[in-house]
Structure formats: structure tokens, C-alpha cells
């Protein structure tokens, strides 16, 4: 145990910069942001006292300093983007079983935000040479927590855009390159942290590509309930979306006994149990210390480094 009372693996997470943002590969967070990260890791965000706390903290972690209503309205005024039909094919089923989400977030809000994001990056691509974005599978689910959490559609748009463009740009390329890299890394990490479970799944011809694709693609937002997804995203926004791979492994370990007893484990893996963010984060943090440094470095970079 470290002198401060925080286990060494927690100390590692608290000390390391948020590598998942391409704009921050070095340098230290200011003291205020470090305190936020420590709070998220050790206690969670105390939402009972102030429901506006989470949106404010997410904006701090994403470094959203200003938003422009005029700019957003300009994107919206352009109307349907060239992939509107593809967007509409997905938006109606976004978190469809979550009544709270459906009551707070209308489908037209989600469509408008995704249209605007496509237009934004069409303009950005014309103005400078950079990684391009359009609408791809899973982006509707990644946008959902921002629309649910933020006080306005405007703030949700800027948070979502920053998140996609800096934290996980390779997850939303047409080839979903970051997602597939994450799935390969999931197999590598599982083989190290639980070789018996890894071997059992392999004997059943189950790789992460088969059973973990939705969880990696959506950063676990596909697994209800939404309030637990938000708690998990507090952690991912504070420490990096690369840790989602370990969060999926944590869910596997929490259901390990049932999976190992199941002659056809895909029956258990097809739908994960309801998300328990506190336990998943606790297991995830312990997994960090078990990975070799070179593998962990690969994990850190996979959402954003080509």
C-alpha cells in the first residue's frame, strides 16, 4: 500500500496523463483536474447534492472552454447531411428500452446533432488536412450519453465532437479500425490476466470479435442501466477510453463462474448482465497492474494513434 493509503495501481492511474486525447500526449493536469480525477476514482461524483455536477465535470475533463450557438445553428441550417438515411436507420433504436432516455432525448435531437457533426467535419476537412469523419455504426449510441447528460443540445454537440475527434477518432473511421484493434487487445489482455478463461473461450471458438464487439464499439453504453453507464463514463473520461477494453474484461470476470460452467458460453455472452459500474471500475483498476508495460502502452494508444 502506498503511503497515501491508495494502492499502487491507483497511484499509477492518478499520475499518468490522459493519453487518450491526441492533443495531450505529455504534460500534467492542473491541480484542480487532478483532484477531480481522484474524486472520480475513489468516491465517484456525488450527484445527489447537485445534478449539474456531472455535466460541468465532463466539460472540464474534455476541456470544453466555449461553445458557439451561431456555429451550431449554421450546421443545423444546412439540413440533412449526405448520410441522413443511414443516421435515421439507427437513431430510432438508440437505447430503445430505456424509458428515462426516451423521455429526455427525442430522436430529432439525436438526428440533428449527428447531422451537424457530419457537416462540421465536412467543413473542417475542406479547411485543413486532418483525419476525416462521417457517420458510422455505433456513433448514435456514443452521442446518447452526452444528449442525456448535458443541459442543452448545444453543449452535447460540442462535448460529443471533442470526444470523438480527440479521445477515440479511430473508433469511428469507416473501417472501425480502433474498435478492431481494441478487440484484438482484449484477447491479448485476457490471455494474461485469466489464461484459463481465455483458453476455455478459445476452445469454444469464441474470440472478442464475436462476443465483445458491441461493448467495445459503444464503450459499454449498450449495456443497461444508463445511470451505471454514466458512472462508468465518468471514469473513462477522466482516465481514457482505452480502459474500456479492461472494463469489458472486468465484466467477463464478474460473470466468470457462470461462463465457465456453461457448455455453450455464447448464451451467457450474447447479453451481458446489467452493468455495475463500481465493481467494474474496481476490477479494471486492479487489472492495470497486471499488464506488461508494452502491452499497456499499446492499449493506451489504440483509440487514437494510427
Amino acid at each position: 500500500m502506498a503511503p497515501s493509503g491508495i494502492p499502487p495501481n491507483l497511484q499509477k492511474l492518478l499520475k499518468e496523463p490522459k493519453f487518450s486525447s491526441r492533443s495531450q500526449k505529455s504534460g500534467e493536469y492542473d491541480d484542480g483536474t487532478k483532484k477531480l480525477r481522484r474524486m472520480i476514482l475513489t468516491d465517484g461524483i456525488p450527484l445527489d447534492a447537485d445534478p449539474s455536477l456531472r455535466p460541468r465535470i465532463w466539460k472540464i475533463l474534455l476541456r470544453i472552454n466555449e461553445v458557439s450557438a451561431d456555429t451550431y445553428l449554421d450546421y443545423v441550417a444546412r439540413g440533412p447531411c449526405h448520410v441522413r438515411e443511414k443516421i435515421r436507420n439507427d437513431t430510432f433504436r438508440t437505447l430503445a428500452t430505456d424509458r428515462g432516455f426516451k423521455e429526455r432525448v427525442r430522436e430529432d435531437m439525436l438526428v440533428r446533432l449527428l447531422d451537424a457533426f457530419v457537416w462540421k467535419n465536412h467543413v473542417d476537412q475542406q479547411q485543413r488536412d486532418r483525419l476525416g469523419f462521417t457517420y458510422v455504426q455505433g456513433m448514435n449510441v456514443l452521442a446518447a450519453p452526452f444528449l442525456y447528460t448535458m443541459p442543452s443540445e448545444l453543449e452535447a454537440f460540442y462535448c460529443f465532437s471533442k470526444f470523438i475527434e480527440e479521445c477515440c477518432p479511430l473508433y469511428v473511421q469507416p473501417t472501425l479500425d480502433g474498435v478492431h484493434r481494441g478487440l484484438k487487445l482484449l484477447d491479448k489482455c485476457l490471455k494474461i490476466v485469466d489464461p484459463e478463461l481465455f483458453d476455455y473461450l478459445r476452445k469454444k471458438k469464441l474470440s472478442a470479435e464475436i462476443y465483445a464487439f458491441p461493448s467495445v464499439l459503444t464503450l459499454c453504453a449498450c449495456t443497461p442501466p444508463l445511470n451505471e453507464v454514466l458512472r462508468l463514463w465518468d471514469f473513462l473520461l477522466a482516465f481514457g477510453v482505452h480502459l474500456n477494453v479492461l472494463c469489458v474484461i472486468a465484466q467477463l470476470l464478474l460473470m466468470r463462474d457462470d461462463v465457465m460452467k456453461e457448455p455453450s458460453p455464447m448464451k451467457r455472452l450474447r447479453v451481458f448482465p446489467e452493468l455495475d459500474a463500481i465493481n467494474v471500475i474496481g476490477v479494471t483498476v486492479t487489472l492495470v497492474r497486471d499488464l506488461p508495460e508494452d502491452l499497456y502502452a499499446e492499449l493506451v494508444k489504440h483509440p487514437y494513434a494510427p
Side-chain angles (χ1 to χ4, degrees):
M1 187 74 73
S4 65
I6 299 176
N9 46 325
L10 299 198
Q11 293 277 12
K12 178 181 178 180
L13 282 175
L14 287 167
K15 286 178 180 178
E16 66 185 15
K18 184 183 172 189
F19 288 105
S20 60
S21 170
R22 291 178 298 159
S23 63
Q24 300 179 93
K25 295 182 183 177
S26 62
E28 293 292 329
Y29 268 35
D30 58 54
D31 290 340
T33 307
K34 286 182 182 178
K35 288 177 182 177
L36 281 180
R37 298 172 85 214
R38 182 182 294 270
M39 176 189 71
I40 289 168
L41 190 58
T42 57
D43 302 314
I45 298 176
L47 298 175
D48 293 342
D50 184 356
S52 71
L53 200 52
R54 174 172 281 136
R56 284 188 284 150
I57 287 174
W58 282 19
K59 284 189 285 187
I60 291 170
L61 294 172
L62 288 167
R63 300 199 172 186
I64 302 295
N65 299 317
E66 59 183 32
V67 298
S68 169
D70 289 342
T71 301
Y72 181 60
L73 290 173
D74 178 63
Y75 297 140
V76 171
R78 292 170 177 254
C81 68
H82 68 284
V83 287
R84 162 63 77 83
E85 185 176 350
K86 189 175 180 181
I87 291 172
R88 288 298 299 271
N89 284 339
D90 290 340
T91 51
F92 76 94
R93 54 178 172 237
T94 304
L95 306 186
T97 61
D98 191 294
R99 181 179 298 178
F101 176 77
K102 289 299 183 182
E103 289 175 352
R104 187 179 300 187
V105 180
R106 301 186 313 275
E107 185 185 357
D108 65 288
M109 296 166 63
L110 190 53
V111 171
R112 193 160 47 239
L113 182 147
L114 294 169
D115 263 338
F117 178 76
V118 174
W119 281 122
K120 174 185 184 299
N121 283 279
H122 175 74
V123 172
D124 288 349
Q125 191 69 20
Q126 288 180 325
Q127 292 176 348
R128 58 185 181 275
D129 183 24
R130 50 167 291 166
L131 193 63
F133 298 93
T134 184
Y135 177 78
V136 299
Q137 177 188 8
M139 201 178 275
N140 56 313
V141 182
L142 294 177
F146 292 107
L147 280 168
Y148 183 84
T149 299
M150 290 296 145
S152 70
E153 185 180 319
L154 175 67
E155 290 162 286
F157 169 76
Y158 279 96
C159 288
F160 171 73
S161 297
K162 188 78 171 286
F163 176 73
I164 292 296
E165 292 167 7
E166 294 196 357
C167 295
C168 55
L170 296 186
Y171 270 52
V172 294
Q173 295 303 301
T175 58
L176 302 180
D177 181 50
V179 177
H180 293 297
R181 289 170 66 182
L183 290 162
K184 289 185 175 69
L185 285 166
L186 196 157
D187 281 329
K188 286 184 179 181
C189 293
L190 182 60
K191 187 175 183 179
I192 289 171
V193 302
D194 194 332
E196 184 183 8
L197 178 58
F198 174 82
D199 288 341
Y200 182 68
L201 293 175
R202 274 303 166 101
K203 285 177 184 176
K204 301 295 183 177
K205 303 189 185 309
L206 291 176
S207 66
E209 284 273 358
I210 296 172
Y211 65 81
F213 181 83
S215 295
V216 174
L217 175 71
T218 66
L219 305 180
C220 292
C222 63
T223 304
L226 182 55
N227 64 309
E228 292 296 310
V229 171
L230 300 181
R231 295 184 78 166
L232 188 65
W233 276 37
D234 296 338
F235 173 69
L236 296 178
L237 288 172
F239 296 98
V241 300
H242 62 280
L243 289 170
N244 181 62
V245 169
L246 299 184
C247 289
V248 179
I249 292 177
Q251 291 173 80
L252 287 175
L253 297 181
L254 290 170
M255 59 191 292
R256 182 185 193 279
D257 291 344
D258 289 338
V259 171
M260 292 290 287
K261 287 187 295 188
E262 177 59 64
S264 301
M266 193 60 197
K267 291 180 181 178
R268 296 282 183 179
L269 297 174
R270 188 170 287 111
V271 179
F272 279 22
E274 286 199 348
L275 193 62
D276 181 348
I278 290 179
N279 281 332
V280 168
I281 291 168
V283 175
T284 297
V285 168
T286 65
L287 295 176
V288 171
R289 71 181 175 199
D290 296 330
L291 297 182
E293 287 191 12
D294 58 340
L295 179 56
Y296 186 69
E298 191 179 351
L299 187 69
V300 166
K301 295 177 181 178
H302 87 272
Y304 68 87

